[in-house]
Amino acid sequence: MINLDSIQLREINLPLSHPFETSFGRTTARRILLIELEAEGLTAWGECVAGEHPYFSDETIDTAWMIIASELAPRLLDADLETPGGCVDLFKQIRGHRMAKGALENAVWDLQAQIDGVPLATLLGGVRSTIPCGVSIGIQPTPEQLMDKIETELAAGYQRIKLKCKPGWDNRIFEAVRKRWPDILLSCDANSAYRMKDFNHIAGWDEFQLLMIEQPLWYDDFYFHSLLQKRLDTAICLDESIRNRRDALAAIDMESCRIINIKVGRVGGFSEAIAVHNAAAERGIPVWCGGMLETGIGRSHNIALSSLSNFSLPGDVSASARYWSEDIIEPEVTVSPAGEIAVPTTAGRGFEVRRDRIESLTVRRQTFHARARVTA
Ligand code: OSB
Ligand code: MG
């Protein structure tokens, strides 16, 4: 039985080491909502992946804060949870707000792993001791700067390069990259920047031998992606469209994609992420773990999730130093020359949280305490 003593929400502000640009906008610093749970003398953490603006998803850090404070935290503090997965039932009356729910549920998993004295990866059902890593490279001011970045990441060992793309930053770039690196694992992510009039244009990308084309069309679409997939040799990968297991089943059934990107926040927490993973595995669809420019807390949760068996393609989970001058965990996440991250084998998330650093970055906080319980 899990009974929480308190839930603390805090916002930290953290500048990115390098701006990150996608088809939907440019991020230079992050406002991040962290969750801290206390129970049985233990402290567990969660990270909400919602951004500052509703560009990637309709949730933002501010909507997540409001929903957690007004709806989710009171329910969680009052609950007698048997397992972390019990959060799903506890939160089901609230529609949507999956990133808010995921931040809390994942913190409860983090807590359970500590209570059980097992690595979080083991609690989730993970089997891998290392995870294969790729990088997501944002749109750059010039093609030359992009080529320099790719060179650096390949030299660091990363196994797959994903290029953010949009109309005007696509064919010319793919061509230049393929000319210099004909054989690397290369993919692209349009974050919904294309429309039906672009189908022929996208079909032309088959010549670049991309591993996949991520979310080329509308963020909430399956049907038009299925029409596009029929026109392509290259696999489509869905990110934004997949909100839960049912979406994965629908997308697989109508052949909207051949690969699925799983982001634990986007699907509402570890329980649903595992359900998507299993549904894809049963149907022979490989998955990989996406990223949302997380701090080490969310990153450590992504590492644990990536240890499940069907995470067979390199994910967007990469080294802390690619994002932050200093992370908020120690040790920081590092990647081996073979392009792998070692899955921690110690109890819990496997990385210490740097509380002093978090305190100094905190700009707002709100704490909820459990009501006194009647004990038998
Ligand atoms: O679409 O995968 C995406 C970052 C923010 C929002 C959406 C996406 C991304 C990334 C970066 O691609 C992944 C990462 O390095 O964390
Ligand atoms: Mg994506």
Side-chain angles (χ1 to χ4, degrees):
M1 188 82 79
I2 308 167
N3 291 134
L4 300 180
D5 297 328
S6 68
I7 301 175
Q8 186 168 147
L9 283 65
R10 68 168 88 213
E11 175 180 339
I12 61 167
N13 291 357
L14 205 52
L16 283 166
S17 299
H18 309 281
F20 188 75
E21 187 172 332
T22 69
S23 66
F24 60 74
R26 188 179 163 88
T27 309
T28 53
R30 300 226 38 233
R31 293 175 52 207
I32 299 166
L33 167 52
L34 297 178
I35 301 293
E36 186 178 355
L37 304 182
E38 289 194 346
E40 302 183 28
L42 298 167
T43 303
W45 292 84
E47 175 169 343
C48 180
V49 300
E52 180 171 1
H53 302 283
Y55 300 162
F56 174 82
S57 63
D58 43 15
E59 287 184 86
T60 68
I61 173 174
D62 296 304
T63 68
W65 189 294
M66 186 191 74
I67 290 295
I68 292 171
S70 63
E71 301 283 348
L72 304 177
R75 280 174 174 76
L76 187 54
L77 280 172
D78 265 356
D80 296 317
L81 282 181
E82 298 292 342
T83 62
C87 287
V88 175
D89 228 31
L90 193 62
F91 296 159
K92 75 168 186 262
Q93 187 179 24
I94 291 104
R95 293 188 179 174
H97 300 286
R98 293 180 304 278
M99 292 174 175
K101 292 173 181 173
L104 284 182
E105 190 195 312
N106 294 352
V108 176
W109 282 89
D110 188 304
L111 177 67
Q112 185 73 57
Q114 293 180 55
I115 292 171
D116 295 352
V118 298
L120 178 59
T122 306
L123 187 65
L124 296 174
V127 294
R128 296 171 187 278
S129 56
T130 61
I131 63 165
C133 304
V135 288
S136 172
I137 304 185
I139 293 165
Q140 302 296 313
T142 66
E144 292 70 36
Q145 278 162 284
L146 176 67
M147 301 298 269
D148 288 348
K149 284 238 171 195
I150 296 172
E151 187 162 28
T152 305
E153 305 296 12
L154 290 172
Y158 287 103
Q159 299 181 20
R160 186 225 61 201
I161 302 289
K162 162 172 138 184
L163 305 176
K164 288 292 185 178
C165 67
K166 64 176 183 181
W169 186 266
D170 49 18
N171 290 49
R172 186 167 52 110
I173 299 307
F174 303 152
E175 211 168 289
V177 174
R178 266 303 180 224
K179 197 168 167 200
R180 177 128 165 233
W181 293 284
D183 300 322
I184 57 169
L185 284 186
L186 185 67
S187 69
C188 70
D189 185 358
N191 289 111
S192 306
Y194 297 91
R195 296 294 175 256
M196 280 176 80
K197 64 176 166 47
D198 303 312
F199 277 21
N200 275 335
H201 176 70
I202 295 173
W205 298 352
D206 278 340
E207 72 166 290
F208 301 120
Q209 298 283 308
L210 302 176
L211 178 62
M212 68 191 101
I213 298 170
E214 187 175 338
Q215 199 74 36
L217 308 174
W218 297 268
Y219 71 91
D220 55 358
D221 170 76
F222 299 113
Y223 177 66
F224 293 100
H225 280 96
S226 79
L227 298 187
L228 178 60
Q229 181 67 87
K230 286 192 215 327
R231 304 262 304 265
L232 303 177
D233 294 333
T234 310
I236 289 177
C237 170
L238 290 180
D239 173 356
E240 284 91 324
S241 296
I242 306 292
R243 300 162 300 178
N244 50 43
R245 177 175 183 273
R246 284 181 302 102
D247 282 347
L249 295 178
I252 294 168
D253 199 54
M254 65 175 117
E255 297 177 43
S256 308
C257 65
R258 297 186 195 139
I259 297 174
I260 292 176
N261 165 335
I262 298 181
K263 288 178 179 166
V264 61
R266 194 195 66 225
V267 301
F270 282 132
S271 297
E272 197 67 27
I274 294 168
V276 173
H277 165 274
N278 293 348
E282 286 158 16
R283 289 159 184 81
I285 298 289
V287 304
W288 53 278
C289 185
M292 291 288 284
L293 314 177
E294 289 92 346
T295 72
I297 291 174
R299 199 165 295 280
S300 64
H301 290 177
N302 287 342
I303 293 168
L305 181 67
S306 302
S307 72
L308 272 68
S309 61
N310 194 36
F311 282 87
S312 50
L313 295 170
D316 279 348
V317 185
S318 57
S320 301
R322 294 188 62 250
Y323 305 84
W324 319 113
S325 64
E326 260 182 83
D327 205 336
I328 58 173
I329 55 164
E330 60 192 0
E332 298 204 342
V333 174
T334 55
V335 170
S336 78
E340 295 176 329
I341 294 174
V343 178
T345 53
T346 52
R349 87 192 77 79
F351 296 86
E352 290 302 320
V353 166
R354 294 178 59 187
R355 178 177 294 279
D356 291 352
R357 173 149 172 76
I358 290 176
E359 286 296 341
S360 70
L361 296 167
T362 298
V363 297
R364 117 173 115 139
R365 80 175 82 219
Q366 192 173 355
T367 308
F368 299 84
H369 294 280
R371 292 186 295 193
R373 286 175 187 273
V374 182
T375 48

